[in-house]
Amino acid sequence: MEEAFAATGVFNDKLKADGYWVFAGGLEQASTATVVDGRGATPVVTDGPYLEAKEYIGGFWVIDAPDLDVALRLAAEGSKACRGKVEVRPFEGLA
């Protein structure tokens, strides 16, 4: 795990140096999650992750890529660094 953290740090530094960096962060274990459902008259708060799954998101990057090809290339580099799968999604828009 220490090797993955070190490689991810190197990747983060590369994103910054190349001008793609916007933000990144790691997440605590899924067991620390709290789910809030505010759709009703009174919010319902429950412990645990929103979905029970074999895999959970451990962290994320927000990058500013000029196009999908660049985003996919960076995702492949990030996947190698963190030793896990990386999902790529565009922003729908910024508020």
Side-chain angles (χ1 to χ4, degrees):
M1 191 56 100
E2 288 180 27
E3 289 177 4
F5 287 148
T8 300
V10 170
F11 176 67
N12 289 343
D13 291 342
K14 182 180 182 306
L15 288 174
K16 291 173 187 175
D18 293 345
Y20 297 119
W21 179 270
V22 175
F23 180 79
L27 299 172
E28 293 291 334
Q29 296 292 323
S31 61
T32 67
T34 302
V35 177
V36 179
D37 184 350
R39 295 175 292 175
T42 303
V44 177
V45 179
T46 56
D47 292 337
Y50 176 70
L51 296 174
E52 295 294 331
K54 293 188 297 183
E55 296 178 352
Y56 294 96
I57 296 172
F60 60 93
W61 288 281
V62 177
I63 63 168
D64 184 10
D67 56 48
L68 182 59
D69 290 336
V70 172
L72 295 175
R73 179 178 55 78
L74 294 171
E77 292 178 29
S79 173
K80 186 174 186 174
C82 72
R83 294 161 172 76
K85 294 179 182 178
V86 172
E87 180 179 334
V88 176
R89 288 194 203 179
F91 271 110
E92 189 173 285
L94 298 175

